[in-house]
Amino acid sequence: MSTLVRGGTVVTADETFRADVYTDEGVIKAVGEDIEAPSDARVIDAGGQLIMPGGIDPHTHMELPFMGTVASEDFYTGTCAAAAGGTTMCIDFVIPAPEEPLLEAYNKWRGWSEKAAADYSFHVAVTWWDDSVHRDMATLVNDKGVNSFKHFMAYKGAIMADDEILVNSFMRAKELGAICTVHAENGELVFRLQQEMKDRGITGPEGHPLSRPPEVEGEAANRAIRIAQVLNVPLYVVHNSCKESLEAITRARQEGQRVYGEVLAGHLVVDDSVYRNPDFEFAAAHVMSPPFRPKGHQEALWRGLQSGNLQTTATDHCCFCADQKAAGKDDFSLIPNGTAGVEDRMSVIWDQGVGTGRLTPNEFVAATSTNAAKIFNIYPRKGSVKVGADADLVVWDPEGTRTISAKIHHQNIDFNIFEGMTVKGVNTHTISQGRIVWSNGQLDMERGSGRYIDRPAFAPYYAAMERREDLMAPTAVARAKAAE
């Protein structure tokens, strides 16, 4: 069935204008004033509201096996919760175990994701290295629509990628025209500091941030950036939580390096005092990596968004309930790392960003949708309000309010890190693939209706970069000239 969104103000990353939006067969067919629609079209009155591209969360972990348990949110419940908050696409992660073939892991995750109710795609993690990984990366890029590879610089003894893996994988990604992403924490330092905390008798959740101070994040971010600089490959740094990593990104971007930064809604508004709460369940519910930081870091991250040195917002949505978090009751290093947020990201960032004057509505659209679509090469199919784009839209009431609570959210978790926060700015309707899936508080999602979205490689761009000596590290320029 076709849908006409009538009488609203279209807000994109670039423009704001009055228009109707007509969709049919899952795509946008017309954008303009006084559109005539068929008599059987569903009509949404968007008077006084905004029409924006559906949100894209570029960092989620549905159904993730991790730290001896499995995340409580699956691909159906997670994509439903996302749509309830205005997000119409998630980019999740395939994370192979050490020595698990990348293609086997990818096929396993694709099986789990068949139940998704909204569109999704996958980054694939490189957690080990041999010739089969080199070969599988090509198959993933050329045949499976994967154009990004993740590298965990933390979690020693499990999925941590050391410098040898980073170099090999970065070089292979460059050959294939894929972008590299990193979880930037120095895993060796984290391991050492965890032991130190426990030797000092610190076993509760307060030990988590003490064992992962901002410096371990800043060091890893800078190291990954400099490796990428030498190899002349673009880099995307996920979930920046502190000034130190932001400074590394900002410095590299000022030098002309192609580096992108992501920030989580939680890191923008929650501070590290949560870990000192005497209630174990409350404190443990906030354990994630990197951890929440002291307040000064939050304002720095907002400035990073305002300046354009951080381009995307995400959630790292990875749900573990109280009984799962209890595994670390006597040892903070055993608390499964993860928090929720996919349902609340859009409203929290509007309220704390647009509502405070930190962001314009257009910058909000860029940070919650369009920039992710551009970075991961699915724009303008996603992240836009253009004829021919996917009919993924959100009708947004800038004056509407709601109070966030685990008692009423749609996320499959018993805790909400934004509990009790009243936000101004909410979606009244969410449209996914042209279907109205959220309407004034009611979900109407179909299990399995989500589509896997292919993301093409960046080969032409990489070829152009290779010819530009001004973007190469000095050592790379010297090697190239010596070879001549």
Side-chain angles (χ1 to χ4, degrees), residues 194 197-198 202-205 207-208 211 328 330-335:
Q194 285 176 332
M197 292 303 110
K198 286 183 275 189
I202 300 173
T203 60
H208 180 69
S211 67
D330 300 315
D331 181 349
F332 69 85
S333 68
L334 300 179
I335 300 172

Side-chain angles (χ1 to χ4, degrees), residues 2 46 65 89 162 271 318 342 380 413 424 427 438 440 461:
S2 59
M89 180 177 174
D162 60 18
D271 67 72
C318 190
V342 74
I413 186 174
K424 184 177 181 181
N427 57 307
W438 172 262
N440 293 313
Y461 168 73

Side-chain angles (χ1 to χ4, degrees), residues 73-91:
E73 190 88 90
D74 67 24
F75 281 91
Y76 173 64
T77 61
T79 49
C80 285
T87 290
T88 54
M89 180 177 174
C90 298
I91 309 181

Side-chain angles (χ1 to χ4, degrees), residues 57-75 77-79 81-82 90-95 109 112 150 152 155 159 183 208 239 262 264-267 284-290 292 314-322 324-325 335-345 409 411-418:
D57 190 333
H59 191 155
T60 64
H61 296 285
M62 312 297 181
E63 228 162 311
L64 174 67
F66 189 53
M67 296 183 71
T69 187
V70 178
S72 58
E73 190 88 90
D74 67 24
F75 281 91
T77 61
T79 49
C90 298
I91 309 181
D92 210 89
F93 290 81
V94 173
I95 304 179
W109 255 266
W112 295 339
K150 171 75 174 288
F152 291 90
Y155 305 115
I159 56 176
H183 169 139
H208 180 69
H239 54 40
E262 167 193 285
L264 307 185
H267 283 137
H286 291 86
V287 167
M288 64 170 299
S289 296
F292 298 111
T315 59
D316 198 1
H317 183 83
C318 190
C319 297
F320 298 104
C321 294
Q324 295 171 291
K325 295 277 189 175
I335 300 172
N337 287 201
T339 60
V342 74
E343 183 173 354
D344 303 311
R345 175 183 67 116
H409 70 201
Q411 300 164 139
N412 191 27
I413 186 174
D414 55 6
F415 191 89
N416 194 307
I417 60 172
F418 306 113

Side-chain angles (χ1 to χ4, degrees), residues 198-229:
K198 286 183 275 189
D199 289 345
R200 293 168 56 186
I202 300 173
T203 60
E206 70 276 12
H208 180 69
L210 293 173
S211 67
R212 306 177 104 98
E215 291 78 10
V216 307
E217 183 179 344
E219 185 282 329
N222 188 67
R223 176 159 40 101
I225 287 167
R226 293 312 178 189
I227 291 172
Q229 181 189 36

Side-chain angles (χ1 to χ4, degrees), residues 84-342:
T87 290
T88 54
M89 180 177 174
C90 298
I91 309 181
D92 210 89
F93 290 81
V94 173
I95 304 179
E99 300 188 8
E100 180 181 13
L102 268 62
L103 279 175
E104 285 187 14
Y106 170 84
N107 290 331
K108 179 168 62 180
W109 255 266
R110 283 296 303 271
W112 295 339
S113 65
E114 286 181 356
K115 63 178 79 70
D119 290 353
Y120 64 95
S121 193
F122 284 117
H123 312 281
V124 176
V126 176
T127 56
W128 63 295
W129 191 262
D130 74 356
D131 289 344
S132 74
V133 177
H134 182 274
R135 181 178 63 250
D136 284 354
M137 288 176 72
T139 302
L140 288 164
V141 172
N142 296 328
D143 300 336
K144 305 298 184 182
V146 173
N147 69 6
S148 53
F149 293 95
K150 171 75 174 288
H151 307 81
F152 291 90
M153 300 174 75
Y155 305 115
K156 177 180 170 65
I159 56 176
M160 187 177 90
D162 60 18
D163 286 358
E164 181 180 3
I165 293 173
L166 293 179
V167 170
N168 283 321
S169 182
F170 282 22
M171 291 178 65
R172 183 55 167 159
K174 179 181 176 180
E175 293 171 356
L176 297 168
I179 189 170
C180 294
T181 82
V182 293
H183 169 139
E185 288 183 295
N186 185 310
E188 293 290 345
L189 282 174
V190 170
F191 180 78
R192 177 64 61 90
L193 291 172
Q194 285 176 332
Q195 300 309 307
E196 180 181 321
M197 292 303 110
K198 286 183 275 189
D199 289 345
R200 293 168 56 186
I202 300 173
T203 60
E206 70 276 12
H208 180 69
L210 293 173
S211 67
R212 306 177 104 98
E215 291 78 10
V216 307
E217 183 179 344
E219 185 282 329
N222 188 67
R223 176 159 40 101
I225 287 167
R226 293 312 178 189
I227 291 172
Q229 181 189 36
V230 171
L231 299 177
N232 195 24
V233 59
L235 186 70
Y236 180 95
V237 184
V238 306
H239 54 40
N240 291 275
S241 73
C242 64
K243 291 183 285 189
E244 286 78 357
S245 61
L246 173 59
E247 288 167 355
I249 291 170
T250 302
R251 182 168 57 248
R253 289 177 62 83
Q254 289 174 341
E255 293 171 358
Q257 193 175 345
R258 187 71 66 178
V259 180
Y260 304 101
E262 167 193 285
V263 63
L264 307 185
H267 283 137
L268 288 169
V269 301
V270 180
D271 67 72
D272 67 340
S273 64
V274 295
Y275 299 115
R276 297 187 289 276
N277 191 296
D279 182 342
F280 171 82
E281 285 192 3
F282 180 92
H286 291 86
V287 167
M288 64 170 299
S289 296
F292 298 111
R293 303 297 190 187
K295 289 183 181 295
H297 293 275
Q298 294 165 28
E299 191 53 44
L301 295 173
W302 279 113
R303 289 197 296 271
L305 269 182
Q306 290 174 293
S307 66
N309 288 309
L310 298 175
Q311 294 77 34
T312 64
T313 59
T315 59
D316 198 1
H317 183 83
C318 190
C319 297
F320 298 104
C321 294
D323 59 338
Q324 295 171 291
K325 295 277 189 175
K329 180 70 174 176
D330 300 315
D331 181 349
F332 69 85
S333 68
L334 300 179
I335 300 172
N337 287 201
T339 60
V342 74

